[in-house]
Amino acid sequence: MSESDSVQIEEKGHRGAFFIAREGQRLAELTFSATPDGKLVILDHTDVSESLRGQGVARRLVEAAVLWARRTEVKLLPLCPFAKAVFDREPQFADVRA
């Protein structure tokens, strides 16, 4: 994992993903879907390639989602078990948790 592997965001309608890509290939992603009004965003699935596991990559995706939620003033509902575990361990994320 290098510092150049920054988390990007993709939004298509009410769905999207926070992801890390290298050479055009996604190596990690946290997918989400938003309610029609856009005020609630459900974090629904985290996937990290074998090559990046154990390096804190999935946590970086959740942290990127939290920063984005603060900027865009939305609430996050972590249904993904990994994202939920991060929220449960991090009281400083409570401000954006639905």
Side-chain angles (χ1 to χ4, degrees), residues 4-82:
S4 64
D5 293 325
S6 62
V7 177
Q8 302 172 62
I9 184 171
E10 169 187 75
E11 293 181 77
K12 291 181 181 171
H14 292 298
R15 299 205 42 82
F18 296 91
F19 66 94
I20 294 172
R22 215 182 270 163
E23 297 168 7
Q25 184 174 359
R26 286 195 186 185
L27 299 178
E29 73 178 351
L30 170 58
T31 59
F32 64 84
S33 55
T35 54
D37 66 5
K39 297 293 182 193
L40 177 67
V41 174
I42 299 159
L43 302 176
D44 47 31
H45 182 71
T46 305
D47 187 42
V48 177
S49 72
E50 279 295 326
S51 65
L52 294 180
R53 291 208 176 135
Q55 300 178 45
V57 173
R59 182 184 167 82
R60 280 185 49 202
L61 296 173
V62 174
E63 290 170 350
V66 168
L67 292 173
W68 172 80
R70 287 176 179 149
R71 259 195 335 270
T72 58
E73 299 181 356
V74 299
K75 294 290 186 184
L76 300 175
L77 179 60
L79 290 187
C80 161
F82 179 84

